[in-house]
Amino acid sequence: MRKLSIALYGAFLAASSLAPPSLAAQAPSGAGQVILLGARWCAPCMAEWRDLAALVAAASPDQVVLAWVDRPMPPPPALNGQVAVMPHAQALELAQRLGGEGFGLPMAAYAPVDRRPCAPWRGPLRPKDMESLRQLCAR
């Protein structure tokens, strides 16, 4: 049964588009998205999650999206409504598309308004890195 579910999941990934559906409907009008790709087993990813309030403030007016590849990670209660959570399958597909096989975490990406996520930011994202992340898409 497990082999069948893995095969079906692989078929789903192969059949799906290269770019996962956007969460733009949840983003404020005219805002891009800062996507944090991580996992619960990744210590630097959990450090980003604990520092999420500072990242949300630095990302403004863009929306922050948590894209955890092991299972969705809810935002801290104080940030409910300010942070979106990407579904697991979509997060895993995005991590594989941006980072390749064995994609490596943590990773972040910036998605300007009405565009796909740009080149990935490798390593932990800090509030002071926000403008550099956005510049990856300007090239």
Side-chain angles (χ1 to χ4, degrees):
M1 183 66 161
R2 178 143 172 89
K3 286 183 181 178
L4 178 60
S5 358
I6 292 171
L8 288 173
Y9 181 68
F12 164 77
L13 286 179
S16 62
S17 67
L18 286 178
S22 172
L23 296 174
Q26 299 174 15
S29 179
Q33 295 176 323
V34 174
I35 304 166
L36 301 176
L37 294 122
R40 291 171 189 252
W41 48 260
C42 167
C45 303
M46 293 308 296
E48 278 183 342
W49 184 84
R50 284 188 296 275
D51 197 28
L52 200 53
L55 287 170
V56 167
S60 184
D62 297 319
Q63 178 187 38
V64 173
V65 178
L66 295 176
W68 255 233
V69 300
D70 55 349
R71 65 181 197 252
M73 183 71 167
L79 295 175
N80 277 341
Q82 298 178 50
V83 177
V85 177
M86 186 178 288
H88 173 257
Q90 190 177 343
L92 186 57
E93 182 181 356
L94 180 62
Q96 290 173 338
R97 183 174 66 82
L98 291 177
E101 193 67 33
F103 39 82
L105 297 173
M107 184 174 19
Y110 182 68
V113 179
D114 300 329
R115 287 189 39 212
R116 293 180 177 175
C118 299
W121 178 272
R122 301 291 186 159
L125 184 67
R126 295 174 183 87
K128 67 181 178 85
D129 300 324
M130 205 59 66
E131 194 53 40
S132 296
L133 173 65
R134 289 179 180 116
Q135 290 304 313
L136 285 174
C137 289
R139 298 178 198 168

